[in-house]
Amino acid sequence: MGGSCAQKRRAGPRQVLFPLLLPLFYPALCEPIRYSIPEELAKGSVVGNLAKDLGLSVLDVSARKLRVSAEKLHFSVDAESGDLLVKDRIDREQICKERRRCELQLEAVVENPLNIFHIIVVIEDVNDHAPQFDKKEVHLEIFESASAGARISLDPATDPDININSIKDYKINSNPYFSLMVRVNSDGGKYPELSLEKLLDREEQRSHSLILTALDGGDPPRSATAHIQISVKDTNDNPPVFSRDEYRISVSENLPPGSPVLQVTATDQDEGVNAEINYYFRSTAQSTKHMFLLDEKTGMIKNNQSFDFEDVERYTMEVEAKDGGGLSAQCKVIIEILDENDNNPEIIITSLSDQILENSPPGMVVALFKTRDLDFGGNGEVRCNIETDIPFKIYSSSNNYYKLVTDGALDREQTPEYNVTIVATDRGKPPLSSSRSITLYVTDINDNAPVFDQTSYVVHVAENNPPGASIAQVSASDPDLGLNGHISYSIVASDLEPLALSSYVSVSAQSGVVFAQRAFDHEQLRAFELTLQAGDHGSPALSANVSLRVLVGDRNDNAPRVLYPALGPDGSALFDMVPRSAEPGYLVTKVVAVDADSGHNAWLSYHVLQASEPGLFSLGLRTGEVRMARALGDRDAARQRLLVTVRDGGQPPLSATATLHLVFADNLQEILPDLREYNRPVLSDPQAELQFYLVVALALISVLFLLAVILAIALRLRRSLSPTAWDCFHPGLCVKSGPVVPPNYSEGTLPYSYNLCIAHTGTKEFNFLKCSAPIHSNEDMVCSVSPGALIPPYGGKDLTSHSETLTSKIFEEKR
């Protein structure tokens, strides 16, 4: 299948190092490696073992990245065996068109070190095309005066195949008048000609029909047929004669379309119509016919399109001169195209490094490219150069191949990329040039650690923040690129418990935003500190830490809570008894409240909202102490009620209220009548209230109707009222018995002891305050509620057994 340079040059027994050094000097020591294959070879077919021919082992194929490159890649290299394989369809007629020798030039590239080897693959023709006639029906006219032996040229068949697979022979069907002669030209072309074997007699036979068959030399041969219809005409015994059998001319490829190229001339000794000559193209490729225009009358040939030396170097055609009698003659025309410097050089990048480390040493190969100029001779010779102010330079490695290497130190922080412009100039007159710019990116190494914008962070967060809200953001920068400069944030330490840390805060690894995972409570946690880390993704990774202190600010979210006065165990209000002889400034009681907030939010103030006797008591703004403002007057009620509000200093302020029930008495028996009035239930009639509102609405309609309804409601309310029984306190029913504990007066708001019996007629249930221990005159009484102790409805001495010692704690009426 071909030979290789490695096969032609064998190392001697003593030349041990030569095979190892051979790849380094291969382009200078060897001719191109040649292979020969037939066209239309199946995809995947083996052209040859390229690795073996290059002197490479199977392991070197993948290690040195053996590959081939070409303008249109028809071949590939098997990475496992090193075989050169057919990659795409190979059609010799399509690739090489009309050239008799068809060669494909490839470049084999290997790395470590980087080298290029030239490969030439010769495409051999196979008989894949059958001959073909331009016309399936051919009409000829022959005068009957034609003598025996006269020849009539026929249009030959065309076959894109070459050599033995091209046209080999022609045949016609057997007939008594004509025989077939095959004329061979100087270029090897075969042209069929009819030879007249017997004189024609138009009166005997007006026409003749022949079958012309063209055969090629393939195995098996292919053929084509054309039907020839010959009409016999009267005498024309002189055919046209060209001035030359072959015309040859050279023209520039820059000749404008429509310009005269060549004129062919033929003469005919006949006269009249038989001497009128017309010119036609025959035995000419269709592409050539499209390129030129032939004047049928004058024989002038003009170019119909622009020439391109790089596409076609020479045109060959055959011109036929035919007179009016049907006789013809042929001549050959060869037009050669002269090259002009009309093609700019091309720069083709064959290999380009994707990454250039900033610490790369000088002389490292970063790109491999070649130049190409389609012009010929000096017009196709190219030289390359680049600008001199960059740390790169080029070396010419072989014919039209160049290496771009580093020529100085690279610093990505100063110059992250270089735009290298390669200029290629040919040696034509005037010279033409072209340029190709490539961008070389300097790859960073991880030599910079992240740096935070601040040395530390302090953030203030008000309590009761919404969970999931961002409370802070830290930011760090890294001048490196890619993963080396990609920063991720994390929490590495905290003064919180490790298990509780995740429930308090989290940080976004991408943005550095710190999120609160829960609502903070100033009363539980006032401050905590985090250690955040910013780390890049380099290898090895670099990182930096920063501290973030979170201060939880207080909000006025806790209302004051009243500790005293407190309600009884059953929710009833407590009474404080005040001596009637209390002087101004006497400490009656003290309202005690607390606030869970801090600062101004916990700064409490006490205010009187409502007092049954304004001016009788004074309230300390900050202490909550209730003192006598003046002495008790004769007209003042024995039972007083104070509504106190406790406000904090927050914005807006929160408050709580406390109700103080104060009774002026020297002993418990004095306040029983007031307690009776206080505990009398007020009966309400929901139906009467509904009627009242209905009356108010109807009053807008009629005043008279409103008066009538009011009168009816008044009568209804009068009938529904019933006296309340206080049978427990009748003289014959409730009698004090036994020794009476003298009242224990104390300073301030300490409670006093009484003997008290309270009856709720609304529920027919009596509640007593029963002492839990015997009472001594020098001790405070501790009493408990004993509900459900009923007093019999009759009098007698048994009532003394039910008499109990009561405290001043009185229950509010259940409404």
Side-chain angles (χ1 to χ4, degrees):
M1 296 295 294
S4 69
C5 181
Q7 293 173 336
K8 295 177 182 179
R9 298 179 182 269
R10 298 293 183 183
R14 298 179 181 178
Q15 295 174 334
V16 179
L17 297 178
F18 187 77
L20 299 177
L21 299 177
L22 181 60
L24 298 176
F25 305 97
Y26 199 97
L29 299 179
C30 301
E31 292 296 327
I33 299 175
R34 292 180 175 272
Y35 296 98
S36 179
I37 62 171
E39 64 172 330
E40 300 296 342
L41 202 61
K43 294 181 182 179
S45 300
V46 178
V47 178
N49 194 317
L50 181 60
K52 180 179 179 182
D53 294 340
L54 293 178
L56 301 177
S57 64
V58 177
L59 297 179
D60 290 337
V61 175
S62 58
R64 299 189 62 184
K65 299 181 180 179
L66 176 61
R67 61 187 184 276
V68 295
S69 64
E71 293 183 24
K72 185 174 182 182
L73 200 58
H74 294 279
F75 304 93
S76 63
V77 177
D78 189 343
E80 296 181 358
S81 63
D83 291 334
L84 183 64
L85 306 178
V86 176
K87 182 181 179 182
D88 197 359
R89 180 193 175 201
I90 300 177
D91 187 355
R92 189 201 65 81
E93 289 75 26
Q94 182 179 3
I95 295 174
C96 298
K97 302 188 184 302
E98 298 179 0
R99 295 200 298 269
R100 303 189 67 83
R101 184 171 183 82
C102 184
E103 296 179 349
L104 293 180
Q105 296 185 359
L106 311 175
E107 288 84 25
V109 181
V110 294
E111 298 181 1
N112 300 320
L114 184 65
N115 281 291
I116 294 179
F117 304 90
H118 298 280
I119 302 171
I120 296 177
V121 180
V122 179
I123 308 302
E124 297 178 353
D125 182 58
V126 297
N127 190 25
D128 57 344
H129 294 86
Q132 186 177 2
F133 288 96
D134 290 342
K135 296 179 181 179
K136 296 296 184 180
E137 297 286 337
V138 179
H139 296 277
L140 299 177
E141 294 180 351
I142 302 178
F143 286 91
E144 61 180 349
S145 60
S147 59
R151 294 186 178 184
I152 302 174
S153 297
L154 301 177
D155 291 337
T158 58
D159 193 337
D161 298 327
I162 61 173
N163 298 332
I164 193 173
N165 296 321
S166 63
I167 302 297
K168 181 180 180 181
D169 198 5
Y170 293 89
K171 295 181 180 179
I172 62 171
N173 58 318
S174 177
N175 67 90
Y177 291 95
F178 298 95
S179 64
L180 185 66
M181 305 290 292
V182 178
R183 177 170 57 87
V184 180
N185 283 355
S186 59
D187 59 355
K190 297 181 179 181
Y191 301 89
E193 294 180 348
L194 287 179
S195 177
L196 184 61
E197 298 293 333
K198 182 180 178 180
L199 295 177
L200 300 175
D201 188 358
R202 180 179 177 275
E203 287 72 19
E204 182 180 351
Q205 186 175 354
R206 298 173 59 91
S207 63
H208 301 270
S209 180
L210 303 175
I211 301 297
L212 176 62
T213 302
L215 301 172
D216 62 17
D219 186 15
R222 295 174 177 262
S223 63
T225 60
H227 183 262
I228 301 175
Q229 188 69 28
I230 302 175
S231 300
V232 181
K233 298 186 67 176
D234 284 339
T235 303
N236 178 28
D237 53 353
N238 290 293
V241 178
F242 280 98
S243 59
R244 287 184 291 178
D245 292 336
E246 182 177 292
Y247 292 85
R248 186 182 294 269
I249 192 172
S250 299
V251 295
S252 172
E253 65 175 332
N254 293 335
L255 189 68
S259 301
V261 177
L262 176 67
Q263 184 175 16
V264 295
T265 304
T267 59
D268 195 319
Q269 296 180 359
D270 294 328
E271 295 181 354
V273 176
N274 295 329
E276 294 179 358
I277 300 176
N278 291 328
Y279 300 92
Y280 307 96
F281 281 125
R282 65 186 300 273
S283 302
T284 303
Q286 291 295 329
S287 58
T288 303
K289 291 182 180 179
H290 293 158
M291 182 61 67
F292 297 96
L293 181 65
L294 175 62
D295 191 320
E296 294 183 359
K297 300 298 182 181
T298 62
M300 178 62 70
I301 300 175
K302 297 181 180 181
N303 62 328
N304 197 32
Q305 301 177 17
S306 298
F307 296 127
D308 190 353
F309 173 83
E310 292 71 30
D311 190 13
V312 180
E313 300 179 8
R314 184 176 66 174
Y315 294 93
T316 301
M317 63 198 76
E318 189 168 320
V319 178
E320 180 184 43
K322 182 181 293 187
D323 60 19
L327 298 180
S328 61
Q330 297 81 31
C331 71
K332 187 175 183 180
V333 178
I334 299 174
I335 301 175
E336 295 182 349
I337 309 302
L338 299 178
D339 181 49
E340 299 290 345
N341 191 24
D342 59 346
N343 291 280
N344 292 328
E346 297 181 55
I347 300 174
I348 302 173
I349 305 297
T350 58
S351 180
L352 180 63
S353 297
D354 296 332
Q355 298 179 352
I356 306 176
L357 294 176
E358 60 178 332
N359 58 353
S360 298
M364 189 188 76
V365 179
V366 297
L368 184 66
F369 63 93
K370 68 177 181 178
T371 59
R372 182 182 62 181
D373 195 318
L374 298 179
D375 294 325
F376 181 75
N379 297 331
E381 296 181 5
V382 181
R383 60 181 182 273
C384 293
N385 59 77
I386 60 174
E387 58 266 33
T388 59
D389 57 345
I390 58 176
F392 299 95
K393 61 182 179 180
I394 57 176
Y395 286 108
S396 177
S397 60
S398 61
N399 186 22
N400 293 333
Y401 275 86
Y402 298 87
K403 294 179 180 179
L404 179 65
V405 300
T406 57
D407 191 34
L410 304 177
D411 189 353
R412 191 207 65 80
E413 282 70 29
Q414 293 184 1
T415 308
E417 64 182 49
Y418 292 91
N419 290 321
V420 180
T421 301
I422 304 172
V423 180
T425 307
D426 62 22
R427 298 183 182 273
K429 294 183 179 179
L432 299 178
S433 63
S434 62
S435 62
R436 175 77 178 270
S437 295
I438 59 176
T439 301
L440 301 178
Y441 297 95
V442 181
T443 302
D444 183 51
I445 60 175
N446 192 24
D447 55 351
N448 294 281
V451 177
F452 281 96
D453 296 344
Q454 302 179 22
T455 57
S456 62
Y457 294 84
V458 177
V459 61
H460 296 267
V461 181
E463 65 173 335
N464 300 329
N465 56 291
S470 62
I471 60 175
Q473 182 176 13
V474 297
S475 178
S477 59
D478 193 324
D480 294 328
L481 289 181
L483 294 178
N484 296 332
H486 183 68
I487 299 176
S488 296
Y489 300 90
S490 61
I491 301 175
V492 295
S494 172
D495 55 3
L496 298 173
E497 293 294 333
L499 296 179
L501 175 61
S502 61
S503 65
Y504 274 88
V505 292
S506 65
V507 62
S508 173
Q510 289 75 27
S511 63
V513 176
V514 180
F515 297 95
Q517 298 297 105
R518 63 189 298 177
F520 298 149
D521 190 350
H522 173 80
E523 289 72 33
Q524 295 182 2
L525 180 65
R526 300 199 173 190
F528 59 92
E529 187 169 335
L530 305 174
T531 300
L532 300 176
Q533 184 180 85
D536 59 27
H537 291 229
S539 179
L542 302 178
S543 62
N545 294 344
V546 71
S547 64
L548 171 65
R549 183 167 181 79
V550 180
L551 303 178
V552 181
D554 183 51
R555 283 185 176 177
N556 192 25
D557 58 343
N558 291 282
R561 183 166 62 91
V562 178
L563 300 180
Y564 186 85
L567 298 177
D570 59 348
S572 61
L574 299 179
F575 281 84
D576 287 306
M577 191 170 66
V578 184
R580 292 182 180 271
S581 60
E583 297 295 331
Y586 174 81
L587 179 61
V588 177
T589 186
K590 182 177 181 179
V591 179
V592 181
V594 294
D595 195 315
D597 295 323
S598 61
H600 284 279
N601 295 330
W603 196 5
L604 303 180
S605 60
Y606 301 85
H607 307 273
V608 177
L609 289 182
Q610 184 179 1
S612 57
E613 188 66 38
L616 183 59
F617 302 98
S618 65
L619 179 63
L621 179 64
R622 299 300 178 186
T623 63
E625 294 179 348
V626 179
R627 295 181 181 271
M628 294 294 296
R630 59 178 177 84
L632 181 67
D634 296 337
R635 295 185 179 182
D636 294 330
R639 179 170 54 86
Q640 298 290 331
R641 179 176 177 270
L642 285 178
L643 181 59
V644 178
T645 179
V646 184
R647 297 196 189 100
D648 58 24
Q651 292 296 332
L654 301 177
S655 63
T657 59
T659 303
L660 298 177
H661 297 277
L662 306 177
V663 178
F664 287 91
D666 293 331
N667 52 59
L668 181 61
Q669 286 75 9
E670 293 182 11
I671 65 171
L672 288 178
D674 292 334
L675 294 178
R676 182 184 303 115
E677 292 297 331
Y678 177 79
N679 289 286
R680 175 177 295 177
V682 179
L683 300 179
S684 61
D685 189 353
Q687 183 177 2
E689 293 180 0
L690 178 60
Q691 291 177 355
F692 174 77
Y693 287 114
L694 292 176
V695 169
V696 174
L698 294 175
L700 300 176
I701 302 174
S702 174
V703 176
L704 295 177
F705 183 73
L706 178 60
L707 294 176
V709 172
I710 292 174
L711 181 59
I713 292 175
L715 295 175
R716 174 79 177 200
L717 291 175
R718 182 176 180 183
R719 289 193 301 268
S720 63
L721 293 177
S722 60
T724 304
W726 292 86
D727 296 332
C728 176
F729 300 101
H730 290 174
L733 182 59
C734 184
V735 180
K736 182 172 70 175
S737 176
V740 177
V741 180
N744 185 11
Y745 295 96
S746 301
E747 293 295 333
T749 59
L750 296 179
Y752 303 97
S753 300
Y754 297 94
N755 292 327
L756 178 62
C757 175
I758 300 174
H760 294 280
T761 59
T763 58
K764 302 303 181 182
E765 179 180 325
F766 295 90
N767 294 329
F768 289 88
L769 298 179
K770 181 176 65 176
C771 294
S772 60
I775 301 174
H776 303 281
S777 60
N778 58 351
E779 295 180 358
D780 295 337
M781 296 182 62
V782 180
C783 301
S784 61
V785 179
S786 178
L790 301 179
I791 299 177
Y794 52 86
K797 294 182 179 181
D798 293 337
L799 292 175
T800 60
S801 63
H802 298 283
S803 174
E804 304 288 344
T805 302
L806 306 178
T807 65
S808 61
K809 184 187 294 185
I810 304 176
F811 302 97
E812 284 186 343
E813 179 184 357
K814 298 180 181 178
R815 297 184 183 276

